[in-house]
Amino acid sequence: MTKPTKSISYLDLKAQYETIKPEVDAAIARVISRSSFILGEEAKAFEEEFGKFSGINYVVGCSNGTDALLLAMEALGIGEGDEVITTAFTFIATAETIVERGAKPVFVDIRLDDYNIDPALIEKKITPKTKAIIVVHLYGQPARMLEIMAIARKHKLLVIEDSAQAHGATIDGTPIGTFGDAATFSFYPGKNLGAYGDAGAVATQRPEIAEKMRLLRDHGRSEKYLHKILGYNMRLDGIQAGILRAKLPHLKKWNQARQRCADRYRDLLSGVKDLVLPQRFANAVSVAHLFVIRHPKRDQIQKALQERGVPSLVHYPVGLHLQPCFDFLKHREGDLPVTEKASREVLSIPCYPELSDADINYIAESLRAVCA
Ligand SMILES: *Cc1c(COP(=O)(O)O)cnc(C)c1O
């Protein structure tokens, strides 16, 4: 392979750091000078500020987005013997944590227009054991929460919104994360709001659930050596909280930059044969965590892009129902046809706030050329 003349990063966290260096450095220095390394004032302040940003009443900072799912499920009483309906077209954490809680994941296929769980297929999978639905707002695009909540209310099911990819997304102006009983967030470095290490949060509109989450994440303690319930060490790190506080005031602007990047791609790439672009929905505002195209010859396209110096990734190449770790669920190819089609055809191209217009133009031009 000849070396490409152009080199674009799939994501450039260093470029982002350069734009906020004084604020981040000051936050780290502040935490160190106070030596409040675990939870502390910094975490408390971040929880309040992120609650304001995301429009959710109670935010409980924790170790990462995976632990957030465990905390949400345990606080809501989801566990042994329960069935939890979810999507197989997501990051492993969404479903692995269901099994870790002693419950059984029940996969429902997705819609091809937004890659999120298809509400029309949910009721068929409800049994007397069904306790909850875990919805994922994939790629930053809200799932169809109005339809999902109507089903949940009818069947008295709990709803958790895995919002790891969707900080700030809305449906008819209502923030995601406020529809269900709890929402989970990841601040993994590559997410729309990313820490400089692992971090996450669990959030809810229900005060008694928030209280339970708060206890669970810190050994069940209400005072230093008073343990009301059995819990875990799933705490938010003070330095990460400080960094997140320094970055949060920029998040709205960064989300808008991602949306502009997505719109620019849509303009530049419209009308390319066999290339399906992410749809824009009138009422559901995506925060463009990823820009995911679809093409029947995905693997060839990816390789040809690479040769032109354009990196891309596949989110996700295998539906979770076909992952070896879920063999015990006895799924076969064909069980979730839309998930399987998406996993063969999707491709994520660079989309982040620091990506220059020149690079977007180059990527779009390259994609047009390789599709031709
Ligand atoms: C990133 C992610 C998680 C897990 O978050 P971590 O902070 O990496 O543990 C869970 N669900 C989805 C959909 C994600 O994208």
Side-chain angles (χ1 to χ4, degrees):
M1 198 176 100
T2 51
K3 200 171 149 41
T5 50
K6 183 100 181 164
S7 165
I8 297 171
S9 303
Y10 179 77
L11 189 63
D12 194 345
L13 297 177
K14 214 167 154 194
Q16 186 181 70
Y17 172 60
E18 293 302 329
T19 70
I20 51 170
K21 190 173 183 316
E23 295 122 281
V24 170
D25 292 357
I28 294 171
R30 185 175 68 230
V31 176
I32 295 174
S33 72
R34 280 187 190 153
S35 290
S36 180
F37 296 114
I38 308 286
L39 291 174
E41 298 158 59
E42 212 65 45
K44 197 156 184 272
F46 172 69
E47 289 172 347
E48 269 166 37
E49 290 159 10
F50 189 69
K52 282 210 186 82
F53 172 87
S54 56
I56 311 180
N57 290 346
Y58 306 96
V59 173
V60 177
C62 68
S63 32
N64 56 64
T66 306
D67 286 345
L69 285 158
L70 290 170
L71 288 172
M73 277 187 265
E74 186 159 347
L76 290 168
I78 300 164
E80 207 68 48
D82 295 330
E83 290 180 2
V84 179
I85 286 175
T86 193
T87 163
F89 198 58
T90 176
F91 182 61
I92 183 74
T94 314
E96 87 187 326
T97 49
I98 295 172
V99 180
E100 280 152 7
R101 284 292 310 141
K104 180 185 170 190
V106 175
F107 294 121
V108 165
D109 213 351
I110 54 168
R111 295 173 56 94
L112 202 48
D113 60 352
D114 63 7
Y115 305 105
N116 285 319
I117 194 167
D118 187 345
L121 304 176
I122 291 177
E123 279 195 302
K124 272 183 271 194
K125 298 285 181 83
I126 296 176
T127 75
K129 288 185 176 171
T130 308
K131 177 88 170 228
I133 305 172
I134 300 186
V135 175
V136 180
H137 305 297
L138 200 70
Y139 308 151
Q141 178 69 52
R144 303 193 161 228
M145 290 313 296
L146 302 182
E147 290 159 69
I148 293 164
M149 291 313 297
I151 296 165
R153 272 191 288 271
K154 183 173 155 199
H155 297 272
K156 299 198 164 43
L157 304 177
L158 295 160
V159 174
I160 296 171
E161 296 175 65
D162 181 342
S163 310
Q165 304 188 2
H167 322 70
T170 55
I171 300 170
D172 289 326
T174 303
I176 55 102
T178 60
F179 293 89
D181 296 278
T184 62
F185 292 91
S186 166
F187 307 118
Y188 180 83
K191 300 290 160 84
N192 285 33
L193 178 63
Y196 288 178
D198 276 312
V202 67
T204 178
Q205 303 289 68
R206 298 173 55 184
E208 78 286 5
I209 298 300
E211 185 51 35
K212 191 93 189 280
M213 291 163 169
R214 232 172 263 289
L215 287 172
L216 285 169
R217 76 159 167 192
D218 190 19
H219 301 295
R221 75 176 139 211
S222 53
E223 292 166 42
K224 192 159 171 75
Y225 290 114
L226 184 64
H227 305 275
K228 286 174 88 171
I229 57 172
L230 295 174
Y232 306 93
N233 177 353
M234 294 183 177
R235 297 175 301 220
L236 177 61
D237 180 299
I239 287 181
Q240 298 309 335
I243 292 166
L244 289 167
R245 286 186 74 198
K247 293 182 77 174
L248 185 59
H250 300 278
L251 182 53
K252 191 171 172 191
K253 169 187 76 192
W254 286 336
N255 280 347
Q256 286 166 347
R258 285 175 189 270
Q259 289 159 338
R260 270 200 306 278
C261 172
D263 286 340
R264 197 177 178 89
Y265 276 135
R266 279 192 198 90
D267 285 345
L268 295 168
L269 291 168
S270 70
V272 177
K273 190 169 166 291
D274 290 337
L275 183 71
V276 182
L277 302 174
Q279 216 167 296
R280 273 192 78 152
F281 297 85
N283 62 335
V285 179
S286 167
V287 287
H289 173 56
L290 302 176
F291 190 82
V292 181
I293 57 171
R294 209 168 75 233
H295 194 285
K297 296 192 174 141
R298 189 265 316 276
D299 294 343
Q300 275 164 261
I301 301 276
Q302 181 172 35
K303 197 159 166 283
L305 281 176
Q306 173 125 48
E307 280 160 11
R308 289 166 186 258
V310 176
S312 60
L313 294 170
V314 174
H315 302 93
Y316 298 88
V318 181
L320 296 185
H321 64 305
L322 300 177
Q323 287 285 359
C325 62
F326 290 121
D327 276 352
F328 68 95
L329 293 172
K330 307 228 178 298
H331 276 292
R332 279 180 310 189
E333 232 180 296
D335 283 355
L336 300 172
V338 185
T339 295
E340 290 161 30
K341 179 181 169 66
S343 64
R344 283 190 302 268
E345 297 187 354
V346 292
L347 189 66
S348 311
I349 58 175
C351 179
Y352 52 96
E354 299 75 26
L355 191 64
S356 69
D357 284 352
D359 282 347
I360 296 171
N361 292 348
Y362 177 81
I363 293 165
E365 243 172 66
S366 306
L367 187 54
R368 269 190 172 278
V370 304
C371 286

